């Protein structure tokens, strides 16, 4: 891998990169099938990803014709890596086994280890015989929609493909590693004003927020819309906040500390609710919700912006869905992509049907949506929300911080990149866009805001 890293750092041309030998094994963050029952009886919040995420050598798999070997310079922690590492709601080995039964190439994935990670920035090392649009030496970022393009159901909206998967979660050989196997239709050009680690944090979260809010499959946000955003400085929330501001809407951002409220203000979000300070208790007990608390939240939003939200950006799930359905405007949209606090959801259906609201489900993004999102980042309209950088050896620690809701925005992980700050190939563009805007979350994490 050292030879590969040196070639990348020296800017070696594609033919030289193509001639470099692919190592027989590589370092990767992975969980083990033999440990999938290790947390039996342990409450979710006490499960520690540092114990289940291992970093070590794994054998390099063979390359399928529609894939590339990618030298991964950096990756990021997503919540799906947290789910994999705590084996909730299911161990991900079941996904790998199912993929393993689909085809000869799929069979490579059903292993006793699962290399995780659904984001990456890096350099293409080799391309399979069916790859047309990419070549060795290309500097790329990866989106995690993993589909079989020979499946007819993948050809309207690829998120509707019968066998759609999330790379590095429902497939093996993911991005938290020095090498990854990626389908050619997951690749996008790296925005060259960004460092490797800044470029690596956007793919999954930014594209998810794009589809939820902007894409024609989501809430179809329009100019002037009021958008209520849970977790507005979190991974998907921080991109949602930027998309609303960039698209001429008014975000109402929810956070859980004055410190996060300050960060949100610094992003340009004027209307902020600190849910901890307000002390909302939407559930009186495990079985009963408190409608007066929903009303209190709705009143707060009206005080702030003078009207109800056109769109509610929902992902905490059980804890908040009742309130989310309640506070949306008549005819408004609740768009949901997750259920961090529990997936058995309860809301008062009268508030949905009598006020003609709709709940829109959303999951990641198709290639076109991910590409559009990457284009916005490339134009400098949306910025990475990277707050800290970890090494591959610290991957468990980073996943633990996300699991414990200790991190803002995104945590990057250096894979082959030896230190932060490398990989900017267009410094003029970086200067034009502005260091301050690109490093807002890092400066906040360092206490500089
Ligand atoms: P994250 O970085 O941890 O941010 C989530 C934020 O939500 C937290 O910062 C927290 O903000 C807020 N939050 C957490 N629990 C809450 C609760 N009970 N009530 C209200 N707010 C709460 O995670 P993320 O990357 O944004 O992901 C969020 C969820 O979306 C995860 O479940 C993830 O798996 C899912 N997701 C799904 C997709 C998809 O394609 N379907 C894609 C990406 C993520 P405050 O404490 O500051 O309020």
């Amino acid at each position: 891998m050292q030879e590969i890293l040196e070639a990348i750092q020296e800017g070696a041309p594609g033919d030289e990169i193509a001639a470099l030998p692919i190592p027989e094994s590589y370092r990767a963050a992975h969980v083990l099938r033999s440990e999938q029952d290790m947390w039996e009886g342990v409450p979710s919040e006490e499960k520690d990803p540092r114990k289940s995420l291992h970093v070590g050598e794994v054998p390099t798999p063979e390359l399928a014709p529609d894939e590339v070997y990618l030298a991964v310079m950096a990756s990021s922690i997503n919540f799906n890596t947290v789910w994999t590492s705590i084996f909730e709601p299911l161990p991900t080995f079941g996904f790998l086994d199912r993929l393993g039964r689909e085809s000869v190439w799929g069979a490579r994935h059903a292993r006793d280890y699962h290399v995780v990670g659904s984001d990456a920035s890096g350099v293409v090392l080799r391309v399979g015989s069916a790859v047309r649009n990419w070549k060795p030496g290309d500097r790329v970022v990866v989106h995690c929609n993993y589909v079989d393009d020979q499946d007819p159901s993948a050809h309207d909206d690829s998120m509707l493909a019968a066998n759609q998967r999330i790379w590095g979660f429902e497939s093996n050989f993911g991005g938290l590693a020095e090498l990854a196997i990626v389908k050619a239709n997951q690749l996008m050009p790296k925005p060259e004003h960004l460092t490797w680690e800044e470029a690596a944090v956007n793919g999954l979260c930014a594209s998810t927020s794009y589809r939820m809010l902007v894409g024609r499959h989501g809430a179809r946000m329009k100019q002037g819309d009021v958008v209520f955003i849970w977790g507005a400085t979190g991974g998907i929330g921080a991109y949602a906040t930027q998309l609303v501001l960039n698209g001429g809407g008014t975000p109402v951002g929810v956070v859980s500390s004055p410190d996060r409220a300050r960060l949100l203000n610094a992003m340009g979000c004027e209307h902020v609710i600190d849910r901890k300070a307000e002390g909302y208790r939407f559930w009186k007990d495990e079985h009963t919700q408190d409608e007066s608390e929903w009303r209190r939240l709705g009143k707060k939003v009206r005080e702030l912006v003078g009207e109800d939200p056109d769109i509610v950006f929902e992902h905490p799930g059980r804890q908040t869905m009742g309130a989310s359905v309640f506070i949306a405007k008549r005819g408004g949209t609740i768009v949901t992509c997750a259920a961090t606090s529990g997936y058995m959801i309860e809301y008062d259906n009268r508030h949905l049907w009598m006020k003609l609201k709709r709940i829109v489900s959303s999951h990641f993004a198709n290639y076109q949506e991910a590409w559009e999102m990457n284009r916005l980042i490339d134009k400098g309209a949306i910025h990475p929300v990277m707050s800290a950088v970890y090494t591959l050896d610290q991957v468990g620690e980073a996943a633990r911080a996300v699991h414990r809701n200790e991190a803002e925005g995104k945590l990057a992980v250096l894979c082959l990149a030896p230190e932060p700050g490398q990989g900017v190939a267009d410094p003029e563009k970086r200067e034009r866009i502005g260091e301050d805007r690109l490093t807002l979350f890092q400066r906040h994490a360092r206490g500089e805001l």
Side-chain angles (χ1 to χ4, degrees), residues 335-382:
V335 60
T336 176
C337 74
T340 316
S341 64
Y343 49 79
M344 293 305 280
I345 299 294
E346 199 178 279
Y347 61 86
D348 185 334
N349 204 27
R350 293 168 300 175
H351 294 302
L352 188 81
W353 97 71
M354 292 294 286
K355 302 252 175 81
L356 298 109
K357 304 177 188 185
R358 60 189 189 122
I359 297 174
V360 172
S361 59
S362 195
H363 185 43
F364 187 57
N366 63 34
Y367 195 4
Q368 193 264 343
E369 289 162 333
W371 191 280
E372 288 294 330
M373 185 65 227
N374 191 51
R375 182 166 162 255
L376 287 175
I377 293 168
D378 190 50
K379 282 171 181 279
I382 303 288

Side-chain angles (χ1 to χ4, degrees), residues 131-405:
V131 175
R132 294 175 302 281
N133 298 337
W134 305 93
K135 55 184 189 322
D138 283 348
R139 293 155 62 95
V140 296
V141 289
V142 174
H143 76 77
C144 62
N145 184 17
Y146 184 95
V147 285
D148 176 356
D149 58 15
Q150 290 177 24
D151 175 350
S153 66
H155 284 267
D156 177 11
D157 169 12
S158 58
M159 285 307 296
L160 294 182
N163 56 6
Q164 188 280 331
R165 291 182 164 87
I166 298 295
W167 169 71
F169 178 60
E170 294 163 296
S171 79
N172 213 329
F173 320 128
L176 284 162
E178 293 177 342
L179 193 82
I181 296 227
V182 180
K183 280 185 186 280
N185 63 10
Q186 291 178 254
L187 298 174
M188 306 186 291
K190 172 183 172 285
E192 288 294 17
H193 61 293
L194 301 180
T195 63
W196 291 116
E197 60 278 10
E198 288 166 351
V201 298
N202 309 303
L204 189 147
C205 280
S207 311
T208 300
S209 301
Y210 182 91
R211 182 178 173 107
M212 286 176 80
L213 289 175
V214 185
R216 70 185 165 92
H217 302 104
R220 297 172 180 229
M221 188 196 89
K222 59 186 191 314
Q223 295 178 39
D225 275 357
V226 172
V227 184
F228 180 97
I229 303 168
W230 290 108
T233 59
I236 52 175
Y239 291 106
T241 303
Q242 294 188 68
L243 284 167
V244 174
L245 288 167
N246 191 52
T250 305
V252 178
V254 185
V255 288
S256 60
S257 70
D259 191 44
R260 288 185 178 177
R262 242 188 333 275
L263 175 59
L264 209 44
N265 286 147
M267 290 174 77
C269 178
E270 213 182 301
H271 307 293
V272 179
I273 298 176
D274 179 339
R275 66 182 170 100
K276 267 221 177 102
E278 297 286 343
Y280 296 114
R281 282 186 51 123
F282 302 128
W283 288 84
K284 285 186 205 160
D285 58 48
E286 212 185 309
H287 307 288
T288 330
Q289 296 207 57
D290 185 346
E291 188 170 330
S292 68
E293 286 292 271
W294 300 348
R295 283 185 195 285
R296 192 158 73 86
L297 176 65
K299 194 161 163 252
K300 179 80 187 169
V301 177
R302 284 185 187 179
E303 275 167 24
L304 289 173
V305 289
E307 56 181 322
D308 296 329
D310 297 278
I311 298 169
V312 178
F313 185 87
E314 166 63 44
H315 51 92
R318 183 170 171 80
Q319 285 292 327
T320 55
M321 190 66 168
S324 294
V325 170
F326 179 81
I327 63 168
K329 185 177 278 180
R330 191 179 183 89
T333 302
I334 301 96
V335 60
T336 176
C337 74
T340 316
S341 64
Y343 49 79
M344 293 305 280
I345 299 294
E346 199 178 279
Y347 61 86
D348 185 334
N349 204 27
R350 293 168 300 175
H351 294 302
L352 188 81
W353 97 71
M354 292 294 286
K355 302 252 175 81
L356 298 109
K357 304 177 188 185
R358 60 189 189 122
I359 297 174
V360 172
S361 59
S362 195
H363 185 43
F364 187 57
N366 63 34
Y367 195 4
Q368 193 264 343
E369 289 162 333
W371 191 280
E372 288 294 330
M373 185 65 227
N374 191 51
R375 182 166 162 255
L376 287 175
I377 293 168
D378 190 50
K379 282 171 181 279
I382 303 288
H383 310 301
V385 294
M386 184 187 81
S387 59
V389 185
Y390 291 72
T391 63
L392 191 54
D393 287 323
Q394 296 168 325
V395 72
E397 212 173 297
R400 183 165 178 259
V402 173
H403 183 32
R404 292 158 62 111
N405 190 13

